[in-house]
Amino acid sequence: MSAVEELSCQELVELVTDYLEHALEPGDLRRSEEHIAACGKCTVYLRQMRQTIMVTGALPGGEISAEAEQQLLQVFSGWSST
Amino acid sequence: MRYGRQVLDRDDAALVAALRARDDATFTQLVREWNASMLRVAQIFVPSRAIAEEVVQETWLRVLNALDRFEGRSSLKTWVFRILVNTAKTRAQREGRVVPFSSLRDPGRVPESAVDPDRFRPEDDERYPGHWSSPPRELPEEQLLAAETQAVVERAIAALPASQASVISLRDVQGWSAEEVCNALDITEVNQRVLLHRARAKVRQALEDYLAPETG
Ligand SMILES: [Zn+2]
């Protein structure tokens, strides 16, 4: 029975990060690729995940406040004068 | 996708030499580049942003004082972040906080689903066990980079447990490699991926809820 080998959608969503990180074992990689190729819903899920990474990657990195930078520079100049 | 937000292109030896020569421009450059990441990592261990800022300050002082002992066996970044983690752990103990080591070391111990199990057909479904019953909904491409969408993602990251928020911030916001995150936090590749998986899954859900809400 080949169904034993096949991944369900619920199993596939748990492998998506390992899939995107190229961390799947060959067997799981093959099963994941077969599942994605045959399943439009999981194809949408995978696309959503790539979109999520893209949107997260476009966030501003977080600027340091002028105050915090000033405090750190004081740490540096205190050390510099030693 | 962007790899590496890094503006620094000088090698570590040159950076260390500049710091040892008391070059405050180099110091400022490092502080600007790493501050957001340092705050994120500190907040895995300490309870507030204010204490995290103090931990970052204390870390820099330790880094500067130890600079003559930096041997270049790891990258400067890894070395600085290891000192940060140690400083944050010490501070957390002083604050009487139980340090959530397990959230970094053993994140898989508590199971967590990437997607609400109710969105799948039950195990005993006759034809399609574990297949989508409430399938993922297409996200409108043109709204992905809108400011409102970014705010939704920021809020979703802010709501994550600190260990997950740190890993997704370092990997996906700051553009660090998996190896850099593992080295800086001293965690295994598997644990790094578990934390990233859970973080991304929740951010994905927040995006779907906002951009393609369930109808009816
Ligand atoms: Zn599927």
Side-chain angles (χ1 to χ4, degrees), chain B:
Chain B
M1 230 185 320
R2 180 193 58 246
Y3 287 101
R5 188 180 283 276
Q6 290 82 356
V7 292
L8 297 173
D9 48 13
R10 283 184 285 169
D11 63 19
D12 284 353
L15 289 169
V16 170
L19 289 175
R20 283 177 182 155
R22 305 328 198 225
D23 176 30
D24 58 4
T26 298
F27 181 74
T28 304
Q29 195 181 15
L30 288 171
V31 158
R32 285 185 182 161
E33 179 164 324
W34 290 344
N35 193 65
S37 304
M38 290 177 81
L39 283 173
R40 280 284 187 204
V41 170
Q43 285 181 94
I44 300 174
F45 303 96
V46 299
S48 74
R49 163 93 184 207
I51 297 175
E53 287 186 356
E54 289 174 23
V55 165
V56 170
Q57 278 189 37
E58 197 183 329
T59 299
W60 277 115
L61 188 59
R62 284 194 191 190
V63 163
L64 294 170
N65 285 331
L67 207 55
D68 287 336
R69 296 198 295 278
F70 176 71
E71 292 172 326
R73 281 198 212 133
S74 60
S75 71
L76 180 65
K77 189 181 191 178
T78 295
W79 186 67
V80 168
F81 277 79
R82 287 285 180 92
I83 293 174
L84 172 72
V85 166
N86 284 327
T87 307
K89 282 179 183 169
T90 306
R91 181 59 188 265
Q93 276 161 2
R94 212 158 68 223
E95 298 286 325
R97 182 173 155 107
V98 180
V99 181
F101 289 112
S102 62
S103 71
L104 282 175
R105 301 262 179 247
D106 194 11
R109 192 170 50 187
V110 181
E112 205 177 293
S113 303
V115 176
D116 182 351
D118 288 348
R119 292 184 65 174
F120 300 97
R121 293 170 179 269
E123 293 278 324
D124 58 5
D125 189 271
E126 281 180 16
R127 292 191 61 189
Y128 300 111
H131 284 232
W132 292 99
S133 53
S134 169
R137 303 178 287 275
E138 293 276 5
L139 306 179
E141 198 76 39
E142 68 283 0
Q143 285 181 52
L144 284 175
L145 293 176
E148 295 82 357
T149 307
Q150 293 196 327
V152 166
V153 171
E154 298 262 20
R155 280 201 296 278
I157 292 174
L160 294 170
S163 52
Q164 294 176 21
S166 297
V167 171
I168 196 171
S169 297
L170 296 177
R171 284 294 313 277
D172 292 345
V173 182
Q174 306 293 338
W176 291 28
S177 69
E179 191 188 357
E180 285 178 314
V181 174
C182 291
N183 287 340
L185 299 180
D186 194 17
I187 57 175
T188 64
E189 285 178 40
V190 169
N191 288 347
Q192 191 265 157
R193 280 200 303 275
V194 169
L195 293 166
L196 183 64
H197 181 66
R198 292 178 175 182
R200 283 179 177 172
K202 286 176 203 148
V203 175
R204 183 210 67 86
Q205 189 59 59
L207 270 180
E208 187 181 54
D209 288 345
Y210 173 69
L211 290 174
E214 206 167 4
T215 50

Side-chain angles (χ1 to χ4, degrees), chain A residues 9 35 39 42, chain B residues 132:
Chain A
C9 303
H35 183 104
C39 179
C42 286
Chain B
W132 292 99

Side-chain angles (χ1 to χ4, degrees), chain A residues 5-60:
Chain A
E5 280 253 324
E6 285 172 16
L7 291 174
S8 69
C9 303
Q10 196 166 10
E11 289 165 331
L12 188 279
V13 299
E14 297 300 346
L15 296 180
V16 158
T17 304
D18 286 359
Y19 175 77
L20 292 171
E21 297 278 295
H22 309 292
L24 286 178
E25 311 277 341
D28 279 340
L29 177 61
R30 183 178 53 77
R31 280 188 287 275
S32 297
E33 285 175 336
E34 283 171 5
H35 183 104
I36 293 160
C39 179
K41 293 166 183 173
C42 286
T43 300
V44 173
Y45 186 85
L46 184 62
R47 181 154 59 240
Q48 285 186 342
M49 201 50 87
R50 289 199 163 108
Q51 289 168 324
T52 299
I53 295 164
M54 188 269 291
V55 175
T56 308
L59 292 178

